[in-house]
Amino acid sequence: MAHSFSDAPDWLSRLAQGLLGLLGVYAAVRLLPRVLKSMTRRFLFGLIGEILLVALGLFLTRRATERPRSKNTAPAAKSDRKRQARGSAPRNGDSTS
């Protein structure tokens, strides 16, 4: 008749659990600093990369939605002020000033 681990004496199972616990603590002390260091580094690089991607997307979106400006034409507000100073009607046809 074979003995299973549950049939083992109480002191033997406690000894095995204690040894496995000590082995786990030793492994945690040896491996945890390296794991935490690499995880922290990956988290920080990922966070910085995500911020840069969002900023780049915002910049490109804003740039894509702006009206193109040619170098010859002035913005509408400046040209309207020039017309009003000369006495001509504003660009949008509104003659009230």
Side-chain angles (χ1 to χ4, degrees):
M1 196 167 164
H3 292 290
S4 67
F5 190 70
S6 60
D7 294 338
D10 192 36
W11 65 270
L12 188 59
S13 64
R14 285 181 184 258
L15 180 68
Q17 287 177 352
L19 288 175
L20 288 174
L22 286 175
L23 183 64
V25 168
Y26 175 74
V29 167
R30 292 283 296 179
L31 299 176
L32 199 58
R34 273 187 268 168
V35 170
L36 286 177
K37 187 176 177 182
S38 65
M39 284 177 60
T40 304
R41 185 181 297 136
R42 287 184 67 187
F43 173 75
L44 288 177
F45 278 119
L47 185 65
I48 291 169
E50 189 74 25
I51 289 170
L52 289 176
L53 280 175
V54 169
L56 180 66
L58 177 67
F59 171 74
L60 292 175
T61 302
R62 190 175 286 174
R63 186 173 173 196
T65 57
E66 285 180 352
R67 292 190 314 186
R69 296 180 187 162
S70 64
K71 295 180 180 179
N72 301 354
T73 60
K78 288 184 179 178
S79 62
D80 284 346
R81 278 191 229 126
K82 288 180 184 177
R83 283 194 191 107
Q84 287 176 355
R86 289 190 311 231
S88 63
R91 179 181 262 180
N92 62 2
D94 187 15
S95 60
T96 59
S97 299

